[in-house]
Amino acid sequence: MNTCVQLASQSEVTVIPNTVIDQVLTEANELQLKVYLYILRHQADSDMLQIPRMADYFNETEKDIGRAVRFWENKGIFVLTQEQPAAQNAAGQPDDSAQPPAVPVRPKLSRDQIHQLSTDKEFSGLMFLSESFIGKPLTSRDLESLFFITKSLHFSNELLEYLLEYCASQNKKNFKYVEAVAIAWSSQGITTPQEAKEQNQAYNHRIYSVMNALGRRTDPTPAEIAYIQRWYQEYMMDTEVIEEACRRTVLATDKNRFQYADKILLSWSQAGVRSVPDIAKADSTYSRKRHAAPRRSAQPAYAANNPFLQHTQSDTDYDKLEKLLS
């Protein structure tokens, strides 16, 4: 006899998109899953979606909640809206009652809603514009993205057109990529094509600064760009921290430099490093742990000719990175 599971009550149900279960679920940790379910549950109440409110609810730090939300943001599920300049009271002091930004949720449209949108004159014009850039009819998932970008992220027609033009120039003619770029621009407070152009220039400067720090003089490959984006977006590192990791990498090895730097930055991220002063603390902690560990017995005679056994660690050689990458 087969056993099946049924909900005890159907009175209140939170719907989880199948794409999240099929494609993202296995990548999320416990806190990320909790935050995702919480946001789905309270998506109609923006007051419940404040980062401090969620931090209090889960008894976690605001940084941890922010990283959990950013995980879903990077997956194109949620987006952190840009925080507005601090409000001031009559005395010109910051107003502590000002609320931090809420987290919009990309909607799931029904067939009827999609049909209504396709018959709307203004939206159908945006559909035609989008199809002309990507070179094919929009799917229902694409329409959800387009609706999300224009309605939830409040992109103007001019900014949407520049967004599509920019993505096409990068040979990225799919709406998953278009939406990801739109989320990034929205989180950076971009509202005009000019601001987007300036941000793209700054982005390119940041990418090539890291390339130069690693001793690379060629254009970055997609895999290298993915590493750099991970360091900024997932590890949430300052530029100075990334450049310091690159400096140590160049001193340590002349091959597999992106992988080596990633190992350093991952260990720093796990140690709570976010700025240059934090690096010294991480180095000190690592040094104390290394010196507190039991000393190994003297090396046998045959070790003299073995470069791996001769290797001695410094405070910047994290867990034999060179050996792992050789």
Side-chain angles (χ1 to χ4, degrees), residues 79-93:
V79 57
L80 284 169
T81 57
Q82 183 70 14
E83 186 170 1
Q84 300 300 318
Q88 294 182 340
N89 56 26
Q93 299 298 319

Side-chain angles (χ1 to χ4, degrees), residues 99-243:
Q99 293 294 319
V103 185
V105 180
R106 180 170 57 79
K108 181 70 175 177
L109 301 178
S110 65
R111 290 184 179 180
D112 290 340
Q113 289 174 314
I114 291 175
H115 176 72
Q116 291 175 1
L117 287 173
S118 63
T119 59
D120 179 84
K121 183 176 181 180
E122 181 180 359
F123 194 83
S124 61
L126 298 178
M127 290 172 56
F128 176 80
L129 176 66
S130 302
E131 290 174 347
S132 66
F133 273 100
I134 69 174
K136 62 180 182 180
L138 301 183
T139 65
S140 58
R141 174 62 173 78
D142 295 339
L143 290 174
E144 289 177 354
S145 292
L146 181 59
F147 182 84
F148 174 69
I149 292 169
T150 56
K151 303 302 181 183
S152 298
L153 302 184
H154 308 293
F155 271 43
S156 66
N157 293 354
E158 293 78 14
L159 184 56
L160 174 65
E161 182 173 2
Y162 179 73
L163 169 65
L164 294 168
E165 179 183 342
Y166 168 78
C167 293
S169 71
Q170 303 297 309
N171 293 320
K172 300 290 188 179
K173 296 186 177 183
N174 64 80
F175 249 88
K176 185 176 182 180
Y177 183 86
V178 171
E179 182 182 321
V181 174
I183 289 172
W185 288 2
S186 177
S187 66
Q188 295 156 8
I190 292 173
T191 58
T192 67
Q194 182 60 34
E195 290 173 347
K197 292 175 184 178
E198 294 173 357
Q199 174 60 30
N200 288 338
Q201 292 174 353
Y203 170 81
N204 290 333
H205 175 74
R206 189 168 66 177
I207 291 291
Y208 282 97
S209 293
V210 175
M211 293 289 290
N212 289 335
L214 284 173
R216 302 295 295 272
R217 299 294 182 265
T218 59
D219 290 334
T221 66
E224 290 169 344
I225 291 176
Y227 271 115
I228 297 172
Q229 290 176 330
R230 179 189 304 164
W231 300 339
Y232 279 105
Q233 298 173 9
E234 184 177 337
Y235 298 168
M236 299 176 64
M237 295 298 184
D238 291 342
T239 298
E240 293 79 8
V241 174
I242 295 175
E243 290 179 348

